[in-house]
Amino acid sequence: MFLYITLGTNDLARATRFYDPVMGTLGLSRLRTLEDEIGYAAPGDTRCRLWVTRPFDGRPATVGNGSMPALVAASRDAVDAFHRAALAHGGTDEGAPGLRPFGPSFYACYVRDPDGNKLSAVCEGPPAR
C-alpha cells in the first residue's frame, strides 16, 4: 500500500546515530545519505522505504500526534533488539516488548526517536522454539 514513509528530524546527524543501529535490528540499512535526508531499505531493495528528513519547507520538524509507522520484525527477538537499540541510542520507551491484544501472536514494542516520532516494531509470528 505505501511506497515510502517520511519522518521529520531537526538534527540529521543525531537521527543517523539513532536510525542506523535501530533499523539494523530489523535487517534494514541506510541506502541513501543526502544533505537533508537519509533513506533506509531492506536487503535487495533498491528503493528506500523509510526516509528521515529535515522538512522541505525549512520549518522545524514536529511530531504527528497519532502518527506511528509499524515496522515488520522477523522475530520476537528482533522486536526485543529494536527496543533495546532504540533506548541505547537516544530513544524513549512508549511500551516494552510484549504481546498485544491485536491478534494472538501480535508481539510489539513502541518507542520514540530523539525527535519524538513514535515507532513500533511488530512480529506476528509464533515465538521461536
Side-chain angles (χ1 to χ4, degrees):
M1 175 192 270
F2 297 111
L3 184 61
Y4 62 88
I5 294 175
T6 302
L7 298 171
T9 185
N10 292 306
D11 185 333
L12 193 60
R14 180 183 67 191
T16 302
R17 290 189 303 272
F18 175 83
Y19 279 95
D20 279 2
V22 173
M23 292 300 104
T25 66
L26 302 180
L28 305 174
S29 60
R30 183 162 30 110
L31 185 62
R32 300 279 186 268
T33 304
L34 305 169
E35 183 178 340
D36 289 325
E37 59 190 354
I38 50 177
Y40 294 85
D45 198 346
T46 60
R47 173 174 268 157
C48 295
R49 304 299 178 168
L50 175 68
W51 288 94
V52 181
T53 182
R54 291 186 190 110
F56 182 75
D57 65 7
R59 294 170 40 198
T62 58
V63 177
N65 188 22
S67 299
M68 180 193 69
L71 304 162
V72 174
S75 67
R76 292 180 181 190
D77 287 343
V79 172
D80 296 345
F82 176 94
H83 189 260
R84 280 192 309 274
L87 299 184
H89 292 91
T92 56
D93 180 39
E94 284 281 319
L99 288 170
R100 299 299 195 269
F102 310 121
S105 297
F106 195 100
Y107 188 86
C109 72
Y110 304 90
V111 299
R112 290 200 184 262
D113 75 5
D115 284 289
N117 296 302
K118 190 171 182 180
L119 307 166
S120 177
V122 180
C123 174
E124 293 188 286
R129 294 181 190 249

